[in-house]
Amino acid sequence: MAVLSKPLPALYVVYVLRSTVRHASFYIGSTPHPPRRLNQHNGVAKGGAVRTSRNSLRPWEMVAVVSGFPSKMAALKFEWALANPHLSLHIPSADRITIATKKKRNGHPKRPPYSLTSVVSNLHLLLRVPSFLRWPLKLHFFNRDVYKAWLKWCGTATDKLRDTMAIVTDFEPVAGTEVAKSTELGTQGEEEEAAAPPAAWGIHALPLDYTPMREVVTKTESIFSFEREGNCVVCDEHLPTGEGVYAACTNAGCEGVGHVACWSSYLLGGSGAADEVLPIGGNCPQCDGPVTWGEMMTEMTLRMHGRKEVEKLLKKPRKKRAPAKAAAK
């Protein structure tokens, strides 16, 4: 089995931009760092794309992203397919929603202009096609109007997404609905309102590193460092230390470890499709807790090919020194 030389990326997304000035203007791209990329499109930082550089369309907002790609190349494939649904070979000709009706000077089909409906409908389509159907993807919406358009399309679409497809919403808090999150007491006991920092939302709340994997990595590091692999949770064969490619259950308290091929066969057992080789998820045969293939593979590749990232995760944060008290006058 070929193994990646790098861990699966902590985050790599395909994003949809919409102009806040002209809502009919969209742009599709990909990035490992959404906040930085948005700043580039809005001219706050160097970079960005020529198509988003017109001041008459700025500022742009990132209204939706697709995350969970196993590599940069995988994200680029999805990005190109979403940006060019009239040409992408990932979409069967009979299933195309966007059809080119004009040609460029060189005779190639001209891409029809984007619209809100075309973007959400092609997102829905690409998440269903065989090329991307079984990838551990997650769809995030950060704009209420765009999410409403998505729900409207889902309500009329004949074909449905798989039940395990994660759809996440994270909208900007409505003004007036947030209350002060902290109150401090003054030296005389009177209450003083503390200005609480606004809670991060949208792309600013997305984890840019492997921090969400800390507990899982801490557990598996202990298992493999102290050679507690034991027997495969599926085939019950002994797992010699350092002599195989092993995946581990990601549930807290469970030390179930097994051959990757065994995990795959076990999790695919109830799918009923003989040609499927990539699992989506299921339940651990040892603890019966839910596991997802994407999270298991992220942990495994991080353990095998991301030592620097693992060391960074396991490093204990330094204790902050208490501020020195002011000298008494």
Side-chain angles (χ1 to χ4, degrees):
M1 174 182 174
V3 181
L4 295 174
S5 59
K6 294 182 179 180
L8 297 186
L11 182 71
Y12 213 103
V13 306
V14 171
Y15 60 85
V16 178
L17 288 185
R18 186 176 74 165
S19 168
T20 60
V21 179
R22 186 175 181 271
H23 286 179
S25 293
F26 291 87
Y27 179 85
I28 293 166
S30 61
T31 181
H33 199 303
R36 180 179 62 202
R37 189 59 176 157
L38 182 59
N39 283 339
Q40 291 175 328
H41 284 300
N42 283 329
V44 179
K46 291 184 179 180
V50 175
R51 287 183 54 205
T52 61
S53 63
R54 290 167 54 188
N55 288 327
S56 60
L57 296 177
R58 287 174 171 170
W60 296 85
E61 62 175 330
M62 210 168 274
V63 296
V65 306
V66 180
S67 67
F69 293 99
S71 67
K72 175 181 178 180
M73 186 58 66
L76 291 175
K77 288 181 178 180
F78 192 95
E79 174 196 350
W80 197 90
L82 183 58
N84 300 276
H86 62 301
L87 294 175
S88 175
L89 297 180
H90 293 292
I91 301 176
S93 298
D95 296 335
R96 290 195 197 281
I97 296 173
T98 301
I99 308 296
T101 57
K102 297 181 181 180
K103 293 185 177 181
K104 301 178 182 178
R105 292 181 180 179
N106 60 11
H108 294 166
K110 186 176 182 179
R111 181 176 61 201
Y114 298 134
S115 68
L116 180 54
T117 300
S118 73
V119 171
V120 297
S121 62
N122 282 303
L123 263 176
H124 191 278
L125 174 59
L126 285 174
L127 292 172
R128 292 187 287 103
V129 298
S131 298
F132 307 116
L133 172 64
R134 303 191 68 79
W135 286 10
L137 302 180
K138 182 184 294 186
L139 179 57
H140 310 248
F141 287 101
F142 308 128
N143 180 280
R144 289 181 173 82
D145 292 337
V146 175
Y147 182 57
K148 286 179 181 178
W150 166 264
L151 292 179
K152 182 178 180 181
W153 179 262
C154 291
T156 59
T158 303
D159 298 311
K160 306 299 180 183
L161 297 177
R162 59 178 169 82
D163 294 338
T164 53
M165 176 63 66
I167 310 296
V168 179
T169 60
D170 190 4
F171 307 133
E172 181 178 11
V174 178
T177 61
E178 293 288 320
V179 296
K181 295 185 178 180
S182 62
T183 300
E184 294 182 354
L185 289 178
T187 56
Q188 302 300 320
E190 67 273 14
E191 290 190 352
E192 296 178 354
E193 291 296 330
W201 67 276
I203 60 172
H204 302 286
L206 294 174
L208 302 177
D209 57 19
Y210 294 100
T211 299
M213 298 290 296
R214 179 177 283 117
E215 291 186 8
V216 174
V217 170
T218 300
K219 180 191 72 171
T220 55
E221 186 71 6
S222 175
I223 293 173
F224 291 97
S225 295
F226 291 94
E227 302 182 3
R228 298 202 308 273
E229 293 91 334
N231 294 347
C232 175
V233 292
V234 179
C235 72
D236 203 34
E237 179 182 317
H238 178 64
L239 301 174
T241 299
E243 296 183 19
V245 182
Y246 308 141
C249 174
T250 53
N251 291 307
C254 179
E255 295 195 355
V257 179
H259 303 102
V260 170
C262 288
W263 273 106
S264 176
S265 297
Y266 175 81
L267 295 176
L268 285 169
S271 66
D275 59 340
E276 291 175 353
V277 296
L278 183 64
I280 294 173
N283 291 83
C284 171
Q286 181 160 305
C287 70
D288 199 38
V291 292
T292 61
W293 185 253
E295 188 177 13
M296 291 174 67
M297 292 301 99
T298 298
E299 183 283 320
M300 186 189 76
T301 59
L302 190 58
R303 171 174 22 103
M304 297 181 69
H305 305 292
R307 292 313 305 172
K308 288 184 178 180
E309 289 83 357
V310 169
E311 290 171 5
K312 184 179 179 181
L313 274 179
L314 300 181
K315 186 176 181 180
K316 293 183 179 179
R318 292 182 179 180
K319 293 183 179 180
K320 294 183 178 180
R321 292 184 179 180
K325 294 182 178 180
K329 293 183 180 179

